[in-house]
Structures are given as C-alpha cells and as structure tokens.
C-alpha cells in the first residue's frame, strides 16, 4: 500500500504522507499542507476528515463491523457486562477477575453524591428535560471535586475522577427522572449491580420495596454495552475538543451530553418513538410517512434511519431488534408500535430512495421500544444513551490526553466583505 499521495496545484507537486492503521484504513496527513502550498482542506461536517488516530473502537460502515478494543460487539453483547466493557474501553484490556472485583468495588464506593447536589436538583422545574438536568449535575462535580479541574494532576487523581463519574452517573440519571416526576430521590443501594441499582433509583419509592426484574436489568445491561462507544461521532468529538483545551473531564463530559441531546444524534431514540406514535395516531399508514421522508419539501425524516458511517446495517440495530422481540416476549408485552416499526423498516428497505442512499435502521431505531417495554419514559431515552456512552467518552478523553493532542482549532475559508472604511453614525 502506498505511503505517499501526490498533489499537483498551481504548477507545483506536493508529496503528502499517507498513514495506515491496523485495519488498513488510510489517511493523508495534511498537517503541513498549508505551510507548503497555502491550501487548507474543506469538509463541512468532517464527513471525510480524520481528527485522530485511535486504538479504542473500530467500525467498518460498509461491512457493518463494530469492535471495542478488538472484541466484536456481538461477542461483548452476548457474553460481557456493561461494567466490564467500561473497563475494557477505558483501560484497554479485559480485566482479570481480581482487577474487575477491585474496579466494581471502587465504583460501588462512589455511587453516593454530595447532599448539597439535591439542593441544585430541587432548583429545576419539573418540566426540565432530563438531559439538561444531567449535563448540569455532571458539571457540578467540578465544584464538589475541585481537584478534578486540573487534568494534569497525578494518574491516581485523574483515575479517581473517572471512577467518580462512572459511579455517580446512574444516580444523576435516576435523580433527573425523580425531579421530573416530583418524587423524592432514592439513594443508591450498594448491594445491587450497576443496572439494578439504577433501575431501583429510577422506579423505587420510599413507600415500597421495589424489586428489580432480572429480565429488565439484563436487557438494560445489553443496551448500555451497545451504546458504550462509537469512535469519533458528534458527541465524542465534542468531548475530545473540549478536553483538548485542558478543560476538566467533567466539563468535557457535560459538553458531550449536550451534543448527544440533538435529534440527529442521541436524541433520535426519543424522536423515533414520537414518530412511531405519530404514525400510529395517524392510522398506521407507513407508506404515507415513507413518502413524506422522501419528499424534499417536507422536513420529515425517518428517525432512526441512516448513518454517517454505516452504509449497511448498523450491527447494533440487528442485536437490539432481536433483543426487543426477546424482552417483549419475556415480559408478555404486545406493543403495537413494534409492529409499525417492523413494517416501516420492511417498506423502507424495499424502497429505491433508501436503498440508493444506503439508509438502514441505526442503533436508535429499535432501542426506544426496549426502553419503553422496561418502563423508561420517552424523555429519558437520551439520558440512557448518555449513561451507555459515558465509558466511551471517558476512554476517548483519556486517549486524547495521553497522546498529548494539540488544542482543536479548525481553519476556514472566509467569504465575507473585503476591507472597507468605517463611516461615523452621523454620516451613514
Ligand atoms: C447516532 O455518528 C455516530 O456514530 C452516531 C451514533 C453513535 O453511536 O454515536 O451512531 C448514534 O447518532 C445514530 C443516528 C441517529 N440519527 C437519526 O436517526 C436521525 C435521522 N438520520 C439522519 O438525520 C441522517 O441519516 C444522519 C444524521 C444520521 C446522517 O446524516 P448525513 O451522514 O449527514 O447524511 P445526509 O443528511 O447528508 O443524508 C444523505 C442523503 C440526503 O438525501 P440527498 O440530499 O442525497 O437527496 O440521505 C437522506 C438525506 O436527505 N437521508 C434521509 C435520512 N437520512 C439521510 N432521508 C430521510 N430520512 C432519513 N432518516
């Protein structure tokens, strides 16, 4: 494979180095392009621009492959647990039994949050979207743990900051829901595993002894694994670029939560259910909504369909679709919007518009159906995505810091007015 590319411009020829990754992906290294030729590259939305070299997640959009640190998403979803996957993503290898026990113990020890954070939570109106509450609560950690503000502190102190947010995120997520319900918060129960503890804080009440259904806890654990990382997506790139200014880990994660919130990104899982409900309320005519999605004059998009990288099935969507069937069967639920989703998928996959543009169901298309089945309210779906994506954001932030990457600062091509004289107000 060639390791240089040749660019001819204005009568000059430039040799540009080409880097090759461990899966034979190749990229042109353009760091010196402007100094040598005066040229920058243009790529709105960075559709074809690499921002970093990363050893965390590999995905092949054409083949529908997704691996975390070399392990296939299918294997991890079937055989691992979310906390073990978090360890793998952040520290680079699967833990030994002893290391995993220590990690789990550290996480359990830090699930409680400072009592004063409840005062901040109480300040939110009950109609506050849980994602806004979550990103705010994460940022409050900079106030309660001021040593976390400096990412250049010792590894032990940085690792403690990592453990703290991994441990406290389920508490924050559940409390953001309690705020919306106007219910008292439920404190963590350190006898429970990660997902069971979250579910009890979400749905438990001081007046009852909430029992977690193991089917629900297992389905949630699998969903969190499937969301744990996805290389340089919008929210992860946000975490990296905020972290590149040497802002704190918690500032970067809070920024990532806000980037994920958008309906074109993590907010799509909420938008999918709202779309399916709209189709159901409209009589279930999927062909009508497929036509709307194809109509350039109609802003309607088929939420949960299409992906910047996957031009084949999103492997996570396949796993989630099967899991949705399993969970609904085990829980004895017959959700009519699951049938609408399957009919919509079948119609779209046989429609030239979607086939031509390689638009397939993505991770968000079926995840909302499982969240609904296990009782998670729709406006909490993107919070669940953030809970799952947290270890990926941490791993990517840590890698960016360890690689001492420079502050992110893209260039531009200016298209505004050329030099003009200032005219005093009384002469205009
Ligand atoms: C996530 O990047 C990641 O890894 C993200 C993620 C992760 O794990 O972090 O995988 C999670 O964000 C999944 C995506 C969730 N978003 C949605 O489901 C929203 C609906 N999907 C689209 O908005 C869209 O497909 C995107 C945003 C996902 C991707 O958009 P791109 O890559 O910028 O592609 P595009 O908007 O330029 O679309 C290309 C063409 C256009 O038509 P033409 O102009 O060529 O005629 O496809 C059309 C688009 O109009 N198109 C759609 C469509 N998605 C793309 N048409 C109808 N419905 C859709 N859903």
């Amino acid at each position: 494979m060639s390791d240089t590319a040749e660019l001819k411009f204005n009568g000059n020829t430039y040799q540009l180095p080409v880097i090759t990754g461990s899966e034979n992906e190749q990229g042109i290294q353009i760091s010196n392009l402007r100094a040598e030729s005066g040229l920058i590259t243009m790529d709105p939305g960075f559709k074809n621009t690499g921002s970093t070299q990363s050893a965390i997640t590999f995905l092949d959009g054409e083949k529908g492959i997704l691996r975390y640190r070399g392990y296939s998403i299918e294997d991890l979803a079937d055989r691992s647990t979310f906390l073990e996957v978090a360890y793998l993503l952040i520290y680079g290898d699967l833990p030994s039994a002893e290391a995993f026990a220590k990690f789990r113990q550290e996480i359990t020890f830090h699930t409680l949050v400072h009592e004063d954070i409840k005062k901040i939570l109480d300040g939110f109106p009950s109609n506050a979207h849980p994602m806004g509450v979550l990103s705010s609560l994460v940022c409050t950690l900079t106030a309660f743990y001021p040593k976390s503000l400096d990412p250049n502190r010792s590894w032990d102190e940085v690792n403690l900051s990592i453990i703290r947010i991994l441990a406290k995120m389920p508490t924050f997520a559940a409390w953001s829901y309690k705020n919306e319900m106007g219910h008292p918060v439920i404190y963590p129960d350190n006898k429970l595993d990660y997902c069971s503890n979250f579910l009890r804080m979400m749905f438990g009440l001081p007046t009852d002894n909430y029992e977690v259904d193991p089917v629900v806890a297992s389905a949630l654990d699998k969903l969190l694994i499937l969301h744990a990382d996805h290389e340089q997506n919008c929210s992860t790139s946000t975490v990296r670029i905020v972290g590149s200014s040497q802002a704190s880990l918690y500032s970067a994660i809070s920024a990532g939560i806000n980037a994920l919130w958008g309906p074109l990104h993590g907010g799509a899982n909420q938008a999918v259910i709202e779309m399916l409900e709209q189709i159901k309320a409209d009589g279930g005519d999927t062909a009508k909504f497929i036509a709307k999605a194809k109509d350039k004059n109609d802003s309607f998009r088929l939420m949960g369909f299409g992906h910047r990288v996957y031009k084949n099935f999103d492997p996570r969507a396949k796993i989630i679709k099967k899991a949705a069937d399993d969970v609904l069967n085990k829980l004895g639920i017959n959700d009519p919007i699951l049938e609408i989703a399957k009919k919509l998928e079948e119609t779209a996959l046989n429609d030239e518009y979607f086939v031509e543009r390689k638009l397939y169901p993505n991770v968000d298309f079926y995840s909302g159906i499982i969240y609904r089945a296990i009782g998670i309210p729709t406006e909490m779906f993107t919070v669940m995505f953030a809970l799952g994506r947290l270890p990926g954001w941490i791993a990517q932030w840590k890698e960016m810091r360890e690689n001492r990457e420079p502050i992110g600062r893209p260039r531009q091509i200016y298209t505004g007015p050329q030099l003009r004289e200032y005219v005093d107000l009384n002469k205009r």
Side-chain angles (χ1 to χ4, degrees), residues 200-409:
R200 182 182 161 278
M201 289 191 284
M202 265 288 283
F203 299 121
L205 288 169
T207 50
D208 72 5
N209 184 22
Y210 181 81
E211 287 292 320
V212 177
D213 181 333
V215 171
V216 170
S218 169
L220 178 58
D221 197 85
K222 180 177 288 214
L223 278 170
L224 296 184
I225 289 172
L226 293 169
H227 286 80
D229 192 55
H230 213 242
E231 54 131 284
Q232 306 312 313
N233 56 82
C234 176
S235 54
T236 298
S237 299
T238 301
V239 169
R240 275 185 171 254
I241 205 162
V242 169
S244 73
S245 73
Q246 297 196 13
S248 72
L249 169 63
Y250 300 150
S251 313
I253 299 293
S254 181
I257 292 168
N258 287 304
L260 185 72
W261 196 352
L264 294 188
H265 190 14
N269 54 19
Q270 174 174 341
V272 166
I273 293 296
E274 289 164 353
M275 172 187 73
L276 294 172
E277 291 284 18
Q278 180 189 4
I279 294 171
K280 177 168 167 266
D282 186 77
D285 180 357
T286 51
K288 172 182 168 183
F289 285 85
I290 292 282
K292 281 169 62 68
K294 292 158 61 174
D295 179 356
K296 289 300 169 203
N297 299 318
D298 191 326
S299 62
F300 178 82
R301 280 207 156 185
L302 205 54
M303 301 313 279
F305 255 75
H307 199 277
R308 173 61 57 76
V309 177
Y310 288 123
K311 300 310 173 192
N312 194 323
F313 251 89
D314 182 334
R316 301 166 296 178
K318 281 184 182 173
I319 297 169
I320 292 178
K321 180 178 178 181
K322 182 180 178 305
D325 276 328
D326 292 349
V327 170
L328 268 65
N329 289 337
K330 283 179 184 168
L331 297 177
I333 296 172
N334 175 25
D335 188 344
I337 67 163
L338 177 59
E339 294 320 307
I340 292 177
K342 288 180 176 178
K343 195 173 153 200
L344 205 58
E345 176 189 355
E346 187 187 345
T347 313
L349 294 183
N350 290 294
D351 183 293
E352 189 49 37
Y353 172 94
F354 293 88
V355 172
E356 193 181 284
R357 291 167 178 78
K358 299 183 177 179
L359 302 176
Y360 291 90
N362 58 48
V363 66
D364 294 305
F365 190 64
Y366 283 105
S367 54
I369 288 164
I370 298 185
Y371 287 138
R372 217 161 103 113
I374 64 178
I376 307 281
T378 306
E379 67 280 359
M380 281 290 290
F381 287 4
T382 313
V383 169
M384 304 310 296
F385 196 141
L387 194 56
R389 185 51 54 88
L390 178 62
W393 286 333
I394 293 169
Q396 299 273 351
W397 174 87
K398 177 172 171 283
E399 182 178 68
M400 177 273 301
R401 298 282 307 134
E402 288 168 347
N403 292 347
R404 298 187 178 283
E405 293 186 10
I407 184 169
R409 201 269 185 228

Side-chain angles (χ1 to χ4, degrees), residues 160-171:
L160 179 55
S161 294
I162 289 172
I163 294 293
R164 278 184 170 133
I165 190 165
L166 274 171
K168 298 179 192 311
M169 193 76 144
T171 309

